[in-house]
Amino acid sequence: MRKPNYDKFPFVAVTGADNACVTGWPAVSRALRDALNTSAKQKTVMAVECYPGVNESEIVEALGFSLDPARVIRTADALRPESEINALCGPFLGGDDPVFGFLCGLELQQFFDPERLQRLREKSAGLPGGLVLIVGVGATWVHEADLLVYADLGRWEIQKRQRRNEISNLGVNNAAACAKLKYKRAFFIDWRVADRWKAPLLARADFFLDTHHPAVPKLVEGTVLRRGLVEAAHRPFRVVPFFDPGVWGGQWMKKVCDLDRSAPNFAWGFDCVPEENSLLLGFGQQRFELPALDLVLNQTLALLGERVQKRFGAEFPIRFDLLDTMGGENLSFQVHPDEDYIRKTFGMAYTQDESYYILESEPDAVVYLGLKENVDRDAMIQDLKIAQQGGGSFQDEQYVNRIPAKKHDHFLIPAGTVHCSGAGIVVLEISATPYIFTFKMWDWDRLGLDGVARPIHLEHGAANINWNRSADWVGHNLVNRIETLATGDGWREERTGLHELEFIETRRHWFTQTVPHHTDGGVQVIHLVAGEEIIVESPSGAFEPFVVHYAETFIVPAAVGAYSIRPHGLGIGQECATIKASIRA
């Protein structure tokens, strides 16, 4: 096993801004007081807009003490009663389903009670002088701000706070509820509402507040942070990875990614899911954390490119993550919905096509992909139902196609294809972004880490199985579709998929020398699948050279244009390989 050199805290250094980030409430308060003192107004309104999950009480306590406002207003006091908010959200929550709902089109303004809002507006406007401090989600809806601070929080930190029962969903008091239900409500409602509200604020906030670490806030001026986002959108970069255990999890990522050796396992490594990952901006020795989604929302065209933006809007359409079953177990037997089904049933515009690229495997490892020939569909669904009801294990060997899996194999999984990774494999999962829309149909007679059976969605799954995806078709269409496209001095380029049914194109490059690349006007995502270390460079010096290590994923924004990749450091003298994903034209 290689010595770990995986970077768990990558950042984008912002040029000429070494002292731009202040840390701790005393320094934050001084910076805000200085900004307020520049106002010639007799009365000044400071709004601290908060993303759902931010500790608003900490902000009120800290700034209320240090800034001595004449009046403190909390937006939560203007929200509708909880019963009304539940009624508003109910149609999007899918009833008792613990996983799936319907992506809402609600706006934040709908969460406010008109009479309560009017009272707060009168309260904020009724002072002859002094500072009015407004804190909470929708602070600028209560009153337009003379000074606007945006307090932000990444979704992985939100999930951890949900699991610790520290936070509730937007407008309700449900901190003690099941973490899975809080995540579901956040995914389908809170984050959709909050992101629509946040997007225009990113362009005009006077300051940004990093609230990821309790009692250690960090503050950066808005103009400086936006300059950092522009820099990130014009150079290769990585988001901050995060890792999570699972019932089927393995031991490989512990060593390669230098993770907690005492943890039972790690199942997932999320290294490119910009909806949930954070982005670190470097200001000298300080690291300012913000949701990577802020970059997508604020620098959409430079990041995605015009062609991709027209198709997906302000959404990052490509997802890379690691699945580790080395020393673990099979993933659940599953299928993803087709595009029509996901749109009508869940409100998602496109589906979760994906592929498995094998980074490592044990000698007898297999991937479950497609069906055996001449499967009796009614018998298979009936056997899955019996298994789900505790009537015995599902006899997968009667129905499901197994394929031996070895390092650098690439298995393509268009929606509707039944599949799962077997034990003893590390998968680089390359997929479209709708990442929760997996219909588990069989979970191998096991319970989740919480001791409760994981949700099975056999009805959804049965409605989406493509019964023509049997062994012969799978072998010809979905396994190692390698095509050499080009060669050069010390390199060769191969197409490895994905299938024609999928909108993601993947290219693999093997190289011992410098390889030329170009974004061709669209965002690209790349993973180092072989070799210890590479360096990404601009032929014109447009960005600083960027070093990448084995098993790391990085993003190349559309605005980068031409760039090159070559072995570097420990990778010199090795044959390196990258897998690159982009959106087909």
Side-chain angles (χ1 to χ4, degrees), residues 325-376:
T325 67
M326 295 285 279
E329 302 178 11
N330 297 345
L331 272 66
S332 60
F333 178 56
Q334 58 193 246
V335 70
H336 300 302
D338 66 34
E339 194 164 293
D340 186 59
Y341 192 92
I342 200 172
R343 182 184 296 108
K344 292 179 179 178
T345 311
F346 308 114
M348 188 73 206
Y350 56 102
T351 193
Q352 188 174 329
D353 290 319
E354 65 183 26
S355 70
Y356 286 171
Y357 189 94
I358 309 302
L359 283 184
E360 302 286 349
S361 66
E362 294 177 350
D364 298 325
V366 298
V367 163
Y368 297 76
L369 185 63
L371 302 164
K372 292 197 170 181
E373 298 295 339
N374 303 314
V375 161
D376 183 329

Side-chain angles (χ1 to χ4, degrees), residues 6-12 232 235-243 269-281 289-296 303 316 318-320 525-526 546 552-556:
Y6 184 92
D7 185 358
K8 299 191 292 295
F9 303 101
F11 66 94
V12 175
R235 56 155 298 160
F237 68 94
R238 292 182 62 221
V239 294
V240 182
F242 63 92
F243 305 87
F270 297 102
D271 205 354
C272 181
V273 189
E275 280 199 354
E276 299 207 351
N277 289 103
S278 289
L279 176 69
L280 286 180
L281 296 181
E289 184 173 356
L290 69 160
L293 184 59
D294 290 1
L295 179 65
V296 182
L303 178 64
F316 197 92
I318 302 172
R319 171 181 183 253
F320 276 35
V525 180
I526 303 178
F546 180 68
E552 293 179 352
T553 299
F554 63 100
I555 296 168
V556 185

